């Protein structure tokens, strides 16, 4: 009557374990100088089905983990400075192309040498071409997101992940015999149309909602979260990984969610204290420590795959740094952002496994690569952050913060509308204030 069966399957039991890991694991990690990211991943591995077996990953944890990943990509787009993003378009495109092509080509050759068939080798090569911005929160915390290398790395993620996922779609359909010119002729325009819809339609829709229905903070926050997951779903419907839709949503709403505002604080806190840590815990729950560290073939594959990722991403970052004269710390930043494997890699591997192109042994090796690259990525990020040059100081735009004096019992519509007009082009915030005469009767 009083016994408890494991794994826990009640919602409150699962959430208790997950929140306990989110609360305790980073703090224990800090005692031995391990980054919070690693602590959360290891904590997920310990409580997951392959170790203590306290909870399963399927169901609640998987859903929340996916939500956290999308939120991470959304915040990455939200925190990109549009001016910096525009200024770094060319290096971002070059880095995105290189960090896709180099690991893809190198990985394909290594996989064929290991005995994989052509389609399986190409699919695994596309896995290492993509990456997940697991280390981005470290640059957030260090207030280094305005550095040009961070902007290049984040923008390049869109290029390489999109390319890698397009390769996945083509290979999966080719393996199933469903690849035709007609299907590609429909899907590619649909992807472009979805991206344009998110980027072009979301900003005016957000402005309209904020100015009419959503004048209170809770409504605005709920609208932002709804728009994020709607964009993710739209991307999925047209055959693109949802993380691309989430990133584009953040980029589109960048000027609507003003830096330093209460809404921006709410959005950041919700992700950094809840959803993103749960995503990292869910990644750790995929790891089987016994199989991963005892099976020789799995270890061989994992070691080979990890070397492909490290060499491929390091070469891509070095080429980009040489072309655009980035210093050593900025080159390490590109490596730290592009080495960790998780989201798109898992998506590609699971698709390959479900259609019979990849074996369980390969999946186990890939999960081990995820742990290794996350560890190495966080260590590299920690090293790079300490050496990054200070971001150049820029003058604050005239309309960034506007203080509006409002007299009691007098209409203020005209002056507030004038302030709004001044601040609109600079995504500014209006601060109305009134001075009270406490000495008057």
């Amino acid at each position: 009557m009083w016994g408890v069966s494991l794994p826990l399957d009640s919602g409150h039991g699962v959430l208790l374990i997950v929140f306990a890991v989110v609360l305790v694991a980073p703090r224990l990690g800090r005692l031995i100088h391990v980054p919070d990211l690693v602590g959360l991943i290891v904590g997920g591995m310990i409580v997951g089905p392959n170790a203590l077996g306290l909870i399963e990953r399927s169901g609640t944890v998987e859903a929340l983990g996916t939500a956290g990943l999308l939120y991470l990509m959304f915040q990455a787009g939200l925190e990109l400075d549009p001016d910096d993003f525009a200024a770094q378009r060319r290096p971002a495109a070059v880095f995105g192309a290189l960090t896709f092509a180099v690991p893809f080509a190198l990985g394909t050759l290594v996989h064929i040498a290991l005995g994989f068939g052509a389609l399986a080798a190409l699919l695994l090569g596309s896995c290492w071409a993509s990456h997940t911005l697991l280390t981005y929160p470290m640059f957030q915390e260090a207030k280094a997101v305005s550095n040009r290398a961070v902007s290049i790395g984040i923008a390049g993620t869109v290029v390489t992940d999109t390319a890698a996922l397009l390769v996945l779609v083509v290979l999966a359909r080719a393996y199933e015999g469903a690849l035709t010119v007609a299907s590609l002729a429909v899907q590619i325009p649909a992807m472009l149309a979805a991206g344009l819809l998110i980027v072009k339609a979301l900003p005016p829709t957000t402005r309209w909602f904020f100015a009419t229905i959503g004048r209170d903070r809770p409504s605005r926050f709920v609208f932002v979260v709804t728009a994020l997951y709607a964009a993710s779903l739209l991307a999925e419907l047209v055959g693109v990984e949802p993380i691309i839709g989430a990133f584009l949503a953040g980029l589109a709403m960048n000027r609507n969610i003003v830096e330093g505002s209460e809404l921006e604080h709410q959005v950041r806190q919700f992700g950094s204290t809840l959803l993103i840590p749960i995503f990292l815990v869910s990644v750790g729950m995929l790891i089987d420590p016994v199989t991963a560290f005892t099976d020789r073939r799995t270890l061989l594959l994992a070691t080979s795959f990890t070397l492909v990722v490290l060499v491929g991403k390091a070469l891509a970052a070095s080429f980009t740094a040489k072309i655009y004269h980035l210093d050593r710390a900025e080159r390490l930043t590109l490596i730290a952002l592009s080495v960790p494997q998780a989201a798109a890699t898992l998506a590609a591997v699971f698709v390959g496994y479900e259609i019979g192109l990849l074996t369980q042994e390969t999946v186990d090796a890939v999960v081990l690569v995820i742990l290794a690259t996350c560890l190495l990525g966080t260590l590299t990020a920690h090293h790079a952050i300490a050496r990054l040059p200070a971001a150049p100081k820029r003058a604050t735009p005239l309309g960034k913060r506007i203080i509006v004096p409002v007299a009691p019992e007098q209409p203020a519509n005209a002056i507030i509308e004038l302030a709004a007009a001044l601040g609109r082009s600079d995504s500014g915030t209006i601060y109305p204030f009134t001075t009270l005469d406490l000495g008057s009767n």
Side-chain angles (χ1 to χ4, degrees):
M1 182 172 102
W2 300 100
V4 176
S5 60
L6 297 177
L8 299 175
D9 56 5
S10 61
H12 53 278
V14 172
L15 291 177
L16 168 63
I17 298 300
V18 171
F19 288 144
V21 173
V22 171
L23 179 65
V24 174
R27 287 160 176 79
L28 291 178
R30 290 170 200 162
L31 295 177
I32 55 174
H33 305 289
V34 171
D36 289 358
L37 293 170
V38 177
L40 288 166
I41 291 172
V42 174
M45 179 181 70
I46 292 171
V47 303
N50 299 311
L52 296 180
L54 300 181
I55 54 176
E56 295 284 355
R57 187 176 184 274
S58 59
T60 303
V61 178
E62 185 176 20
L64 289 175
T66 300
L69 169 61
L70 296 176
Y71 209 95
L72 175 63
M73 292 298 295
F74 174 73
Q75 280 196 185
L78 197 63
E79 296 196 8
L80 270 184
D81 187 296
D83 298 326
D84 286 343
F85 185 75
Q88 304 296 346
R89 280 181 299 180
R90 183 170 296 178
V94 170
F95 175 66
L98 287 172
T99 202
F100 169 82
V102 177
F104 180 70
L106 179 62
T108 300
L109 294 175
V110 170
H111 303 144
I112 291 175
L114 289 170
F116 287 93
L119 288 180
L122 289 168
L123 188 144
L124 286 171
S126 72
C127 290
W128 318 134
S130 66
H131 56 259
T132 300
L133 294 172
L134 275 170
T135 56
Y136 178 70
M138 297 178 67
F139 292 93
Q140 279 182 309
E141 186 177 349
K143 302 186 184 303
V145 294
S146 60
N147 182 274
R148 58 178 178 171
V150 179
S151 298
I152 292 170
I154 294 171
T157 301
V158 178
V159 177
T160 187
D161 280 8
T162 301
L165 294 165
L166 286 174
V167 170
L168 170 64
V169 171
V170 171
L171 292 175
R173 294 194 174 188
Y175 184 75
E176 295 171 333
L179 181 64
T180 63
V181 175
S183 65
L184 292 177
V186 172
Q187 189 162 26
I188 292 176
M191 293 176 181
L192 295 174
L196 287 174
L197 180 63
I198 293 170
V199 172
K200 297 296 184 181
L202 193 51
T205 304
T206 304
R207 287 194 295 270
W208 171 83
F209 184 87
F210 285 2
T212 55
I213 304 172
R215 295 193 175 186
D216 59 294
R217 289 170 183 166
S219 296
R220 291 186 174 188
F221 176 73
V222 173
F223 175 84
V224 169
V225 176
T226 302
L228 153 64
Y229 292 113
S232 304
L233 178 61
L234 177 61
E236 185 177 32
L237 290 175
V238 298
V240 178
E241 185 67 18
I243 57 176
I244 304 299
F247 178 82
L248 291 177
L251 203 59
M253 302 179 76
N254 187 291
R255 292 192 181 277
N256 300 117
I257 303 175
V258 181
E259 181 183 358
S261 66
E262 184 65 27
L263 177 59
E264 191 261 350
H265 178 72
Q266 286 179 309
V267 170
R268 182 192 294 271
Q269 285 295 104
F270 185 67
S272 61
T273 61
L274 182 65
L275 288 183
I276 295 174
I278 292 177
F279 162 63
L280 296 170
V281 172
S282 73
V283 171
M285 293 175 68
L286 290 168
I287 301 168
D288 183 350
V290 176
T291 302
F293 293 103
T294 56
D295 184 75
R296 290 185 178 181
R297 173 66 177 173
T298 301
L299 287 173
L300 172 63
L301 292 178
T303 302
S304 302
F305 296 165
T306 303
L307 287 174
V308 167
V309 175
L310 295 178
V311 173
K313 297 297 185 181
L315 286 174
S318 298
F319 292 152
T320 305
K322 188 174 182 61
I323 294 171
Y324 293 102
H325 309 291
L326 305 182
D327 62 26
R328 183 172 180 271
E330 290 173 322
R331 176 171 60 84
L332 288 175
T333 295
L334 292 180
I335 295 174
L337 288 169
S338 60
V339 160
Q341 303 290 308
T345 302
L346 287 173
V349 169
F350 284 141
V351 168
Y353 177 72
E354 288 172 359
I355 65 176
L357 190 56
L358 299 177
T359 64
Q360 180 63 50
E361 180 183 60
T362 305
V363 174
D364 291 339
V366 169
V367 173
L368 189 58
V369 173
I370 290 172
L371 176 60
T373 55
C374 289
L375 284 167
L376 293 169
T378 53
L379 292 174
T380 305
H382 183 75
H383 186 73
I385 287 169
R387 292 161 177 79
L388 274 179
K393 293 184 178 180
R394 294 180 300 179
T396 302
L398 179 64
K400 193 68 175 178
R401 297 179 181 86
I402 305 174
I403 298 175
V404 179
V406 178
E409 301 179 359
Q410 290 187 16
N413 292 345
I415 191 171
I416 289 179
E417 288 177 1
L418 174 61
L422 289 172
R424 185 172 295 116
S425 61
D426 294 322
S427 300
T429 304
I430 299 172
Y431 299 92
F433 78 96
T434 298
T435 302
L436 300 178
D437 184 1
L438 298 179
S440 63
N441 294 326

